[in-house]
Amino acid sequence: MGKIIGALMGYFSGGLILAAVGLLIGHLFDRGLKRAMGINYVAEREQLQKVFFDSTFRIMGYLAKADGRVCEMEVQQAEAIFTQLGLSGERRRQAIARFKEGSEAGFELETCVSTFIEHCGRQPLLKQMLIEALLAMAVADGTIDPAEEKVLRRVAHFLGFNTARFEQLLNMTRAQHHFHYQYSSNREQAHRDSHDELADAYQAMGINAEVSDAELKKAYRRLMSEHHPDKLIAKGVPEDMIKLATEKSQDIRAAYDLIRRHRGLS
């Protein structure tokens, strides 16, 4: 745009020679603007990633203490998640520090979520990824107890999710967990109830069994796009937390493949 404006102003001011001068000036302007915007973008993305990381592990610590205390099993579960994400060295120490902050008596959940919204609220996908990450961590041990679910509902409410949307995300997470730890392996297990498996597949994709084939494909493409690593990193999700989205994508694909086979789709 700078080159175009510069060339036009130069041309109308003094013909081709000044147009060439204007083109050069416009080029230099465009290059400087691009460099400045690039610096701002990188800095903003790094800030978003930091806030996302800190918020996730602080709320995770708060979740662990939802029933009044952090037990040994919950500490082991947190350690398993750190390992699952591949956190090591300084990054692991940061995660542990944020987890401990969230589990302290004076931690204020509303303040933490407000800080997240202040920095990340303009990115709807980041809000969804936060609640999905927390749900995935909460269900990692196979169940979400009532105290944890109450906290998760509060977080979802602060983030602007209505009850119906939270219920959908909760059911999707539970069904995806089933696929990850049950249906994706040992598929030849004879005693499996295929009806329950198919019902879980629809829930894992957040749709009902009555959707058309076209709607099924549309839902699949949307979910895969939402959880694409490059897109999430560009939006501000830390790279070391992308593994959760990658596993979710695999579970969504497994659910989609099951439904597709059931419907006889190619």
Side-chain angles (χ1 to χ4, degrees), residues 192-209:
R192 180 171 300 132
D193 186 336
S194 60
H195 176 75
D196 288 345
E197 185 181 11
L198 187 62
D200 269 344
Y202 281 109
Q203 278 204 336
M205 294 187 62
I207 56 177
N208 58 58

Side-chain angles (χ1 to χ4, degrees), residues 30-246:
D30 284 341
R31 189 168 65 179
L33 180 61
K34 183 178 180 180
R35 184 181 298 114
M37 290 180 67
I39 292 173
N40 290 338
Y41 171 73
V42 171
E44 180 182 3
R45 188 178 66 178
E46 289 177 350
Q47 177 67 13
L48 291 177
Q49 290 177 334
K50 183 179 185 305
V51 172
F52 189 99
F53 183 91
D54 291 349
S55 300
T56 299
F57 287 104
R58 282 175 178 143
I59 298 174
M60 181 182 166
Y62 188 82
L63 273 170
K65 200 178 179 181
D67 59 357
R69 66 186 184 89
V70 180
C71 66
E72 182 62 28
M73 181 179 296
E74 287 163 331
V75 172
Q76 292 175 357
Q77 182 180 341
E79 289 288 346
I81 291 171
F82 298 156
T83 301
Q84 176 188 8
L85 296 176
L87 301 179
S88 60
E90 180 59 28
R91 198 63 166 168
R92 187 184 186 90
R93 286 190 286 272
Q94 290 173 359
I96 293 172
R98 301 295 88 78
F99 181 91
K100 288 181 178 178
E101 289 171 5
S103 64
E104 290 174 355
F107 179 78
E108 295 182 358
L109 179 64
E110 293 84 349
T111 301
C112 178
V113 179
S114 294
T115 299
F116 176 86
I117 293 173
E118 179 184 350
H119 290 88
C120 306
R122 290 177 297 175
Q123 299 282 1
L125 187 57
L126 284 183
K127 294 193 290 185
Q128 179 174 321
M129 288 303 107
L130 174 63
I131 196 67
E132 285 189 7
L134 294 171
L135 282 166
M137 291 174 177
V139 80
D141 61 351
T143 184
I144 300 178
D145 67 43
E148 289 178 329
E149 184 174 330
K150 184 177 180 180
V151 171
L152 289 166
R153 288 183 182 278
R154 286 175 62 196
V155 174
H157 174 72
F158 294 148
L159 292 175
F161 293 96
N162 59 34
T163 301
R165 178 57 174 156
F166 175 79
E167 293 287 350
Q168 182 187 41
L169 290 173
L170 177 61
N171 291 332
M172 287 174 68
T173 300
R174 284 171 169 157
Q176 289 160 8
H177 179 80
H178 291 166
F179 265 88
H180 188 75
Y181 289 101
Q182 297 178 40
Y183 304 143
S184 294
S185 60
N186 301 322
R187 299 198 59 83
E188 301 303 322
Q189 192 173 334
H191 67 268
R192 180 171 300 132
D193 186 336
S194 60
H195 176 75
D196 288 345
E197 185 181 11
L198 187 62
D200 269 344
Y202 281 109
Q203 278 204 336
M205 294 187 62
I207 56 177
N208 58 58
E210 286 71 42
V211 299
S212 66
D213 292 345
E215 290 171 325
L216 169 67
K217 293 179 181 179
K218 182 179 180 180
Y220 173 70
R221 287 194 294 266
R222 175 180 55 80
L223 288 170
M224 296 303 288
S225 174
E226 287 177 351
H227 298 89
H228 193 282
D230 292 342
K231 183 174 184 178
L232 294 178
I233 291 173
K235 291 293 185 180
V237 176
E239 292 187 29
D240 47 19
M241 298 193 69
I242 292 298
K243 188 171 183 180
L244 289 176
T246 301

Side-chain angles (χ1 to χ4, degrees), residues 4-23:
I4 294 173
I5 294 174
L8 289 175
M9 291 181 64
Y11 178 79
F12 288 115
S13 298
L16 293 177
I17 294 177
L18 288 182
V21 174
L23 181 66

